[in-house]
């Protein structure tokens, strides 16, 4: 289910390269991605696999000097792994129908 205000992959990645705007877009991109994946699970009456709070905390830590390195090395791989796992589960369910 696609909404009118969903961004494309090109727009999502491209806006990360705009100086200063990328600070805002970093929050918008990750939180929106987690919300949309969780929404797909909600539509299928399954528990939401992604933690919005952990994602928000990770992005906040990512913009803090020196703490951002910890976020990049430890927390972003966890978030990205959870997103990949959830996306794979959705794709597997879609292709088995």
């Amino acid at each position: 289910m696609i909404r009118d205000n969903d961004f494309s992959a090109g727009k999502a990645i491209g806006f990360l390269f705009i100086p200063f705007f990328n600070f805002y877009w970093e929050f918008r991109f990750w939180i929106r991605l987690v919300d949309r994946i969780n929404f797909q699970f909600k539509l299928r009456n399954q528990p939401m696999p992604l933690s919005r709070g952990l994602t928000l905390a990770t992005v906040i830590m990512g913009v803090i000097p020196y703490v951002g390195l910890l976020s990049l090395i430890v927390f972003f791989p966890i978030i990205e792994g959870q997103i990949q796992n959830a996306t794979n589960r959705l794709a597997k369910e879609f292709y088995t129908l």
Side-chain angles (χ1 to χ4, degrees):
M1 181 178 263
I2 297 175
R3 291 179 153 176
D4 294 338
N5 60 352
D6 279 345
F7 45 79
S8 66
K11 182 178 177 182
I13 294 170
F15 281 172
L16 290 172
F17 291 106
I18 299 173
F20 300 110
F21 182 74
N22 62 348
F23 289 117
Y24 160 76
W25 192 249
E26 187 84 23
F27 287 91
R28 178 94 170 125
F29 169 74
W30 287 106
I31 299 300
R32 180 69 176 190
L33 180 62
V34 166
D35 286 345
R36 293 301 288 161
I37 292 172
N38 281 337
F39 179 67
Q40 291 301 316
F41 278 89
K42 187 176 181 181
L43 287 176
R44 291 162 175 79
N45 294 321
Q46 295 180 5
M48 293 184 257
L50 302 175
S51 170
R52 191 173 202 264
L54 179 61
T55 304
L56 181 60
T58 302
V59 174
I60 289 171
M61 286 189 306
V63 297
I64 299 172
Y66 301 110
V67 178
L69 186 60
L70 173 70
S71 175
L72 184 67
I73 294 171
V74 177
F75 293 106
F76 267 114
I78 293 170
I79 297 294
E80 291 167 356
Q82 289 178 346
I83 289 172
Q84 186 65 56
N85 185 30
T87 306
N88 288 346
R89 286 175 41 202
L90 285 172
K92 184 177 180 182
E93 180 181 323
F94 178 75
Y95 285 113
T96 58
L97 293 178

